[in-house]
Amino acid sequence: MSFDEIRSLDSRYIFQTYTRQPIALESGSGVVLRDVDGNEYIDCVAGIASCNLGHCHPRVVEAIQKQAERLMHVTNLYYTEVQATLGEKITRLSGMDRVFFCNSGTEAVEAALKLARRTTGKKDFIAARGSFHGRTLGALSITDKDNTPFEPLIRNVSFVQYNESEEIERAIGEDTAAVVLEPVQGEGGVNVPAREYLREVREICDERDVLLILDEVQTAFGRTGEWFGHQHSGVTPDIMTLAKSIANGFPMGAMLATGRAADGFERGDHASTFGGNPLACAAAHATIDTIREEDLVAASRRKGRYFLESLRSLSLDFIDLRGIGLMIGMEFEGGCGGIVEDARKGGVLLNCTSERVLRFVPPLIITREEIDRVVRVLGG
Ligand SMILES: Cc1ncc(COP(=O)(O)O)c(C=O)c1O
């Protein structure tokens, strides 16, 4: 099918909620994507920080194929080995005590909010300006956006300045259940806080008996140069949310908890038909094993530094360049849609977040040569 035919079907039958780039993608391998017209692109979007091992990684493909031949879906009325062993793997990896599997980031956040209320018996949340936690009503309530058309949302959510721990101290009240933060704000513009920030927030939460929820949907699995973004600060959250790269692009989410929060739910408090589905679990096993065996967390740190330095040498009129691991943002005074378009025409996929921040979140397997090519294309 041609691009025009695909676009015309989309505009006729699909809800027009997305602003899409004018290409239709057909296949991918490693860091490279191909469109229906045969054009190739170096992918610095990676399904928005999801395909950390690149596209169609052979180990993930094989794990899904093998699992599909054995068992695809049974619901959580039954036990499966593939889910139980993934539970062990992911809790050991993260140092958390228990996990609830779901299907997306927003669902993981919903589970976290419910767990915080159930554990503490309190109702209120503190979130950060510039935050993004998802599109369902609970997650939207803690997302810093004009949500007026969807009100009423969860009441009593206080928004504080990101990277300012004293504001959290002041915002905590009698009925505060939890503080919810991203270790690095992704959609908000790749905002990297000071290393002490999460340490200070952790201390405040401990002193005031408030839970700390860290939303690692975008920052986990090596993206920032540690397995989880919060490890840069040496803190442990009470509750953590994961999705995106957990199964290298196969839809999956997870909510993990430790301490009293790990015992916060009773039977029947939460559920998901597809959560922890055998196919997703098999993909997640293969993803985690491959990241570990190929040492891609250290690679993210190394390549991220190289990418950042290479971008710094460009004579583009950006006002800020920041990043951690392979999560990099280049901020402009005005919109960066034109740069995204020019880059695409030059064979590089990028995206613009918060309207004026060019975001680079390529697969962690990107090579130096591919980074050089991206920088050359941006240099014009
Ligand atoms: C930090 C964070 N939390 C939650 C979400 C929502 O994830 P999903 O789109 O899978 O619902 C996102 C998506 O970008 C995110 O970046």
Side-chain angles (χ1 to χ4, degrees):
M1 228 180 228
S2 73
F3 168 67
D4 286 337
E5 286 168 317
I6 294 168
R7 180 160 59 180
S8 121
L9 283 179
D10 181 289
S11 62
R12 168 68 184 82
Y13 294 111
I14 311 277
F15 267 105
Q16 297 297 292
T17 55
Y18 298 104
T19 307
R20 298 191 203 267
Q21 296 284 303
I23 52 172
L25 296 168
E26 193 169 65
S27 63
S29 172
V31 181
V32 175
L33 281 169
R34 270 163 228 98
D35 70 15
V36 290
D37 295 315
N39 300 308
E40 290 198 341
Y41 306 91
I42 295 186
D43 183 12
C44 287
V45 180
I48 312 188
S50 297
C51 306
N52 283 8
L53 297 177
H55 298 282
C56 304
H57 191 286
R59 285 191 59 184
V60 180
V61 171
E62 190 193 353
I64 294 171
Q65 276 172 344
K66 280 199 172 145
Q67 187 60 50
E69 284 165 13
R70 208 176 302 132
L71 190 68
M72 277 199 228
H73 177 63
V74 288
T75 92
N76 287 299
L77 295 176
Y78 310 99
Y79 297 95
T80 60
E81 181 179 324
V82 70
Q83 187 187 112
T85 50
L86 182 64
E88 179 186 35
K89 186 173 284 177
I90 207 157
T91 50
R92 286 202 174 159
L93 180 68
S94 61
M96 306 297 277
D97 292 331
R98 284 187 191 280
V99 57
F100 177 88
F101 289 115
C102 51
N103 311 284
S104 66
T106 202
E107 270 184 77
V109 170
E110 294 298 322
L113 298 178
K114 278 178 71 178
L115 180 63
R117 281 189 166 174
R118 190 71 157 116
T119 304
T120 61
K122 297 178 180 176
K123 295 186 180 55
D124 300 348
F125 296 99
I126 296 172
R129 295 210 185 87
S131 63
F132 184 87
H133 297 288
R135 305 282 187 164
T136 50
L137 290 176
L140 210 53
S141 309
I142 52 166
T143 289
D144 182 22
K145 220 173 152 277
D146 176 14
N147 293 315
T148 320
F150 310 107
E151 285 177 349
L153 301 177
I154 292 181
R155 280 169 293 158
N156 301 349
V157 177
S158 313
F159 284 93
V160 296
Q161 198 60 37
Y162 190 62
N163 202 16
E164 302 271 346
S165 56
E166 318 81 65
E167 287 211 12
I168 289 179
E169 173 108 65
R170 282 197 292 276
I172 291 176
E174 289 279 285
D175 215 18
T176 305
V179 173
V180 193
L181 295 170
E182 294 155 85
V184 177
Q185 288 186 330
E187 302 307 299
V190 190
N191 301 320
V192 187
R195 238 163 241 265
E196 315 78 74
Y197 178 55
L198 288 185
R199 276 202 287 272
E200 290 164 7
V201 176
R202 178 72 274 179
E203 271 173 34
I204 294 166
C205 287
D206 287 343
E207 273 164 26
R208 306 287 295 273
D209 199 23
V210 164
L211 296 177
L212 176 59
I213 301 175
L214 292 182
D215 182 349
E216 294 258 12
V217 164
Q218 194 157 148
T219 44
F221 297 104
R223 174 56 54 195
T224 68
E226 291 285 354
W227 275 97
F228 303 99
H230 66 262
Q231 289 171 330
H232 290 281
S233 312
V235 300
T236 311
D238 300 295
I239 303 175
M240 168 163 78
T241 52
L242 302 173
K244 291 200 189 283
S245 57
I246 186 171
N248 204 49
F250 195 96
M252 186 178 221
M255 186 275 296
L256 296 97
T258 192
R260 66 180 167 133
D263 296 318
F265 273 156
E266 304 278 329
R267 278 187 211 284
D269 274 351
H270 204 55
S272 164
T273 297
F274 289 124
N277 162 286
L279 284 180
C281 287
H285 270 293
T287 302
I288 295 169
D289 292 349
T290 309
I291 292 176
R292 198 191 328 251
E293 285 161 31
E294 296 186 4
D295 206 10
L296 291 175
V297 177
S300 166
R301 251 192 319 268
R302 224 176 30 248
K303 293 173 187 179
R305 272 197 299 269
Y306 180 72
F307 209 159
L308 198 68
E309 285 321 309
S310 307
L311 289 170
R312 211 180 288 288
S313 66
L314 277 174
S315 55
L316 289 174
D317 56 351
F318 52 86
I319 55 171
D320 193 25
L321 179 63
R322 50 188 179 255
I324 182 163
L326 279 168
M327 187 168 182
I328 297 173
M330 185 184 258
E331 182 166 352
F332 293 85
E333 213 147 65
C336 50
I339 300 176
V340 169
E341 195 178 326
D342 289 347
R344 190 187 66 246
K345 288 177 182 160
V348 171
L349 296 186
L350 291 167
N351 105 308
C352 196
T353 186
S354 277
E355 282 158 37
R356 50 206 198 101
V357 180
L358 204 56
R359 176 169 46 179
F360 303 79
V361 281
L364 310 185
I365 57 163
I366 193 168
T367 61
R368 282 185 171 225
E369 291 69 36
E370 284 160 338
I371 292 174
D372 291 344
R373 165 109 191 271
V374 171
V375 173
R376 267 201 311 277
V377 167
L378 280 170

